[in-house]
Amino acid sequence: ALLNKSNPEVGTSMASDIVTNLPLNFAGGRSLENFAYAIAPSVECDNWTSNINGGAPFTKEVVLDGTSAVNQIGGHIGESSPPMEAVEEFTVETSGIPAEYGRTAGGLFNFSLKSGTNQFRGSAYGYLRNEVLNANTWQNNYLAATDPANADKYERAEDRQYLGGASLGGPIIKDKTFFFVAAEEYQQSRFLLGGLTQTVPTERM
């Protein structure tokens, strides 16, 4: 509903089928939190230094099925966020947050995880990036043309990323006990130049 008359909460909800239909960038691994910073109003920055409604970084609360998932660094679960395949719904609450979440001073990220059903269901997926599939950079092409004797030095740099995962859920005892598991792995190997506005100390320095 566009107008919520039952409580004063303001936020954005994303069901799992909506999320999986959005264009995904798997560089660094798929992070459901990144959608909050892309589409939720008043949510800015990233999952490291998020600012919600202009609040200070490291003050948001992150909840998994009603249990706080934050430890050590307030509001940050970047390395331990649940795989996308395990999340049924993701809600970002920016104001009017219930008192039960009173530990936050900067909004609430609320993950509702999937559970098993009486039917077995699952998924498997894989994403691959490899320099063999990339075009060479214009700079390498230019240098190879000006130095044809050493053209092999200007081949594409190693740029490899792999992301794979799977999920499975189903009944243990029908109508009574269920299970659901999901796992995801990300690997990266890159030997590319950084931004051309960055440098390292010169010999004189």
Side-chain angles (χ1 to χ4, degrees):
L2 295 177
L3 181 62
N4 183 358
K5 296 185 287 185
S6 60
N7 61 62
E9 298 173 28
V10 176
T12 303
S13 293
M14 291 167 277
S16 60
D17 56 341
I18 295 174
V19 170
T20 53
N21 286 330
L22 290 169
L24 299 173
N25 177 2
F26 77 96
R30 299 190 310 167
S31 174
L32 188 56
E33 283 188 79
N34 289 341
F35 288 114
Y37 305 103
I39 67 175
S42 71
V43 180
E44 298 179 352
C45 297
D46 53 42
N47 62 12
W48 174 244
T49 56
S50 56
N51 299 101
I52 300 177
N53 278 340
F58 310 115
T59 58
K60 76 176 187 290
E61 176 66 290
V62 182
V63 172
L64 294 176
D65 281 343
T67 302
S68 177
V70 173
N71 58 16
Q72 295 183 334
I73 302 174
H76 177 65
I77 63 163
E79 291 80 18
S80 56
S81 59
M84 278 192 180
E85 299 295 311
V87 177
E88 183 67 36
E89 185 178 36
F90 175 50
T91 303
V92 181
E93 298 182 25
T94 55
S95 62
I97 300 169
E100 63 189 287
Y101 303 115
R103 301 173 298 279
T104 176
L108 173 71
F109 283 20
N110 195 344
F111 294 88
S112 297
L113 303 181
K114 292 179 180 178
S115 64
T117 66
N118 280 330
Q119 303 296 323
F120 285 98
R121 62 175 179 174
S123 62
Y125 52 93
Y127 298 88
L128 172 70
R129 176 172 176 168
N130 192 293
E131 72 275 5
V132 174
L133 305 174
N134 299 344
N136 208 349
T137 66
W138 66 268
Q139 186 177 23
N140 279 356
N141 288 334
Y142 170 77
L143 293 172
T146 58
D147 186 15
N150 297 300
D152 57 334
K153 292 197 309 184
Y154 308 109
E155 292 296 321
R156 291 161 291 197
E158 185 172 308
D159 182 14
R160 300 173 186 175
Q161 296 180 61
Y162 168 75
L163 175 76
S167 67
L168 179 66
I172 298 176
I173 302 173
K174 280 204 167 185
D175 296 322
K176 291 186 178 181
T177 309
F178 312 93
F179 76 94
F180 189 89
V181 295
E184 191 170 273
E185 180 182 11
Y186 175 74
Q187 299 175 2
Q188 175 177 314
S189 177
R190 303 184 77 201
F191 291 92
L192 301 177
L193 287 173
L196 298 182
T197 58
Q198 300 173 358
T199 184
V200 296
T202 64
E203 187 174 344
R204 289 183 63 192
M205 291 178 184

